[in-house]
Amino acid sequence: MSQSQVVVNPLQEGLRSERAGEPCAMVILGAHGDLTKRKLLPALYALFTQDLLPPGFCVVGLSRTQMTDEQFRTSMEESIHKYASDLKFDNESWERFASCVYYRSANFGSPGGFGELPALLSELETKHGTRGNNVFYCSTSPSLYMSIVDRISESGLGTRKAGTNAPWPRIIVEKPFGTNLETALELDEHIHSAFAESQVFRIDHYLGKETVQNIMVLRFANAIFEPLWNRNHIDHIQITNAETLGVEGRGSYYEEAGNMRDMIQNHMLQLVALTAMEPPISMDAEATRDEKAKVMRAMRPVDLNNIDKYVVRGQYTKGWINGQEVPGYREEKDVSPTSTTETFTALKLYIDNWRWAGVPFYVRSGKRLAKSVTEIAIEFKKAPLKLFAQSFGEDEDAFGPNVLVLNIQPDEGISLKFATKQPGPVTRLRWLSMDFKYGTAFGVRSPSAYERLVHDCIMGDSTLFARTDFVESSWKLISPILDKWQDPDCPPLDEYPSGSWGPESSDRLLGAEGRKWRLL
Ligand code: BG6
């Protein structure tokens, strides 16, 4: 279908073509779910209002629920008001956007379950000039991913046809990608039966966060940090992801996943890789992903015979968050009263390569902790001589060290802690912090992670998506730990009250080596 045959396309107006990808239809599988309402549709509408969607574009929502196009559009409009209040909404642009949004019910689990989707997509190709390119966004329960791939294959909508201008399919897969090494490999093989690796976009929304993208800019666009970024100058690295939220009605999902699969295997290991990777030879997607994959391959397997020295897990009990009493995990909806699912994990990891030999990476993540904060803290070695010992007083901690903190959220920015002399006739030292804050420095709205990632997929840029080898190595690290946890002789799960900083065993993980978690 050539562009000249396109009849009406309200999305074509005012596009900056250099920022828009190739025409396509975005098929959202699981369109009635929370993710679509909270993140995807708001992201697509935000891209539309910034003229960042391709000239030929439309959205097709699919899920089990019976609904008309009009009902789906109304429900999406309500969601945008509810969940994306930071977006500039105006009726005129919404009407134009909504006129390219469609809905069909489908049953992903049974043969023929896509129903009239193939016919609709070819009708929309003519109507909206999508050129037959389709992005399939899997926003369903992960248990349906394989069936979805079967439906795509049986409808002839997978695998790119021969020829440079032939229509392409792409697939976006939400985490968790598999539940262990074996299922991840199986899923990968299945997806590859219908899609080449270059057409697979494994989404990890942490990679779409502005501050996470800034890690590479900080490291590789500035010359001052890299010479210090290694075992000679860095004592250790702490990565914290703390949430005050509990499981928020996702009890049945969380019972299966737990913190390790929900946060560590994907988001946290991506942060480790970005912090530890070597400079890529270019900003090309594969060059960047090659370096991250190398970090994962160099990750030392956890010593399972001494697992308590490397990994601790905890589960929240009832407690207080922001002045409100909150229930324990086992009292949450859809959670077993005897559940042993971890809601907190702390790990000590080592990367056995030249740069990081002997430098521990401490990673912790948990729900119902005292504060919501995600950061990467690079703790440098202390100055070799305590020349100013008396100027700090007795407190040993007051000697530093210098810490460079990358604040991922909520106060996005970077800060560097360093010693300085207090004004006055005697030499008294104090640790201060030099801060850069995104909000005040730029004063513009940051795009949501989904806006960035959906746009990148439409552009065909996979830099910020997890590659198959990264996923495989991450499971090679995590799967044995999950298996060991099933072992009756493995140290049991520890409890921690909601509103605390996790179980005491987490402090012991660092304390055993004379270190402490940062006070946040
Ligand atoms: C999701 C997890 O991937 O990330 C959630 O499934 C978690 O359990 C969320 O709450 C955290 O994301 P963010 O962007 O709020 O840090």
Side-chain angles (χ1 to χ4, degrees), residues 74-210:
T74 308
S75 122
M76 289 305 127
E77 183 182 347
E78 285 166 8
S79 307
I80 288 179
H81 290 303
K82 189 165 169 193
Y83 299 117
S85 48
D86 63 323
L87 286 185
K88 247 189 7 219
F89 184 91
D90 75 85
N91 287 328
E92 193 269 330
S93 70
W94 172 256
E95 290 305 325
R96 279 199 297 135
F97 177 72
S99 69
C100 300
V101 175
Y102 299 83
Y103 181 85
R104 291 294 180 275
S105 72
N107 181 355
F108 308 134
S110 39
F114 267 1
E116 53 188 82
L117 179 71
L120 176 68
L121 288 175
S122 63
E123 186 191 321
L124 298 179
E125 182 181 342
T126 314
K127 192 168 174 190
H128 291 292
T130 61
R131 295 201 201 147
N133 298 327
N134 299 314
V135 177
F136 296 95
Y137 197 120
C138 299
S139 165
T140 60
S141 149
S143 59
L144 287 171
Y145 292 169
M146 302 249 242
S147 308
I148 286 173
V149 172
D150 291 340
R151 301 293 80 78
I152 294 173
S153 298
E154 76 190 13
S155 328
L157 295 169
T159 326
R160 186 182 188 137
K161 318 284 174 298
T164 27
N165 288 324
W168 47 252
R170 289 183 188 144
I171 187 165
I172 305 184
V173 190
E174 274 287 336
K175 64 149 256 275
F177 196 83
T179 51
N180 57 23
L181 179 59
E182 203 186 335
T183 53
L185 292 176
E186 195 188 344
L187 175 59
D188 223 31
E189 198 182 320
H190 208 72
I191 291 180
H192 285 149
S193 68
F195 296 89
E197 177 61 19
S198 59
Q199 297 168 327
V200 185
F201 291 74
R202 297 174 194 82
I203 202 162
D204 184 313
H205 81 275
Y206 264 59
L207 294 179
K209 291 179 188 275
E210 282 289 329

Side-chain angles (χ1 to χ4, degrees), residues 455-468:
H455 183 247
D456 278 7
C457 174
I458 293 173
M459 301 287 290
D461 181 351
S462 49
T463 313
L464 300 178
F465 292 82
R467 202 169 63 186
T468 179

Side-chain angles (χ1 to χ4, degrees), residues 39 174-175 204-206 209 241-243 245-248 250 253-254 262-263 266-267 367 374 409 449-450:
K39 305 285 183 191
E174 274 287 336
K175 64 149 256 275
D204 184 313
H205 81 275
Y206 264 59
K209 291 179 188 275
N241 160 262
E243 291 183 84
L245 293 177
V247 286
E248 305 301 298
R250 295 160 76 216
Y253 155 74
Y254 208 83
D262 187 48
M263 293 298 299
N266 32 68
H267 306 324
K367 291 203 182 284
T374 302
Q409 56 197 24
Y450 279 90

Side-chain angles (χ1 to χ4, degrees), residues 26 34 43 74 79 128 141 170 178 211 274 308 310 375 392 515 517:
M26 166 98 28
D34 236 29
T74 308
S79 307
H128 291 292
S141 149
R170 289 183 188 144
T211 38
L274 284 166
D308 54 325
Y310 295 89
E375 64 155 50
F392 279 120
R515 299 187 177 102
W517 287 112

Side-chain angles (χ1 to χ4, degrees), residues 316-317 319-321 326 367-371 496-502:
Y316 62 82
T317 55
W320 296 83
I321 298 275
V326 294
K367 291 203 182 284
R368 287 280 191 237
L369 297 183
K371 195 173 164 184
Y496 62 96
S498 291
S500 69
W501 277 104

Side-chain angles (χ1 to χ4, degrees), residues 215 219-220 225-239 271-279 291-292 294-296 298-300 349-362 376-381 404 406 515:
I215 299 172
R219 292 190 52 199
F220 306 134
F225 299 112
E226 268 315 286
L228 304 179
W229 210 268
N230 55 48
R231 68 177 190 286
N232 297 327
H233 302 280
I234 293 177
D235 178 74
H236 72 278
I237 290 177
Q238 292 189 16
I239 303 185
L271 296 186
V272 172
L274 284 166
T275 309
M277 68 191 269
E278 296 300 314
E291 296 308 332
K292 282 172 36 185
K294 280 192 219 160
V295 172
M296 289 309 299
M299 202 75 86
R300 186 189 302 170
L349 299 171
Y350 285 99
I351 298 166
D352 285 335
N353 64 14
W354 195 263
R355 186 189 285 264
W356 295 114
V359 179
F361 281 65
Y362 300 104
I376 301 171
I378 322 288
E379 293 222 6
F380 290 91
K381 291 187 171 165
L404 180 69
L406 315 184
R515 299 187 177 102

